[in-house]
Amino acid sequence: MLRLKQGIVSKGMTVKGCAELLGISERALYNKLTGDSDFTYREYQKLSMLFPDFNMEYYLTDECPPCV
């Protein structure tokens, strides 16, 4: 979920600040960003509202696009 962390930083936020807005601990968000745990649907919805210009499917994956 490195893309999401980069997106959070690009918005001038910290991981701690984003975690507070999501209503979870900084450690819980760190675990989600490293793939140790998954985002809940409610957290996904909150992220979508916090970052309406983000394509959440892009930011919540680390997969490379297919090479052509």
Side-chain angles (χ1 to χ4, degrees):
M1 307 279 169
L2 184 58
R3 290 179 183 167
L4 180 58
K5 185 174 181 184
Q6 291 171 339
I8 290 168
V9 171
S10 76
K11 292 293 187 180
M13 294 182 71
T14 62
V15 171
K16 181 179 180 179
C18 185
E20 289 173 0
L21 290 173
L22 290 174
I24 60 176
S25 70
E26 185 176 0
R27 183 68 180 158
L29 182 54
Y30 176 79
N31 288 338
K32 293 170 190 294
L33 292 174
T34 58
D36 291 337
S37 62
D38 294 327
F39 285 92
T40 65
Y41 182 69
R42 178 171 237 152
E43 293 162 348
Y44 176 88
Q45 287 180 311
K46 285 182 181 181
L47 284 170
S48 296
M49 290 184 343
L50 288 171
F51 306 111
D53 54 328
F54 281 11
N55 174 340
M56 280 298 141
E57 297 211 11
Y58 171 81
Y59 280 97
L60 293 177
T61 62
D62 287 331
E63 296 175 12
C64 296
C67 297
V68 179

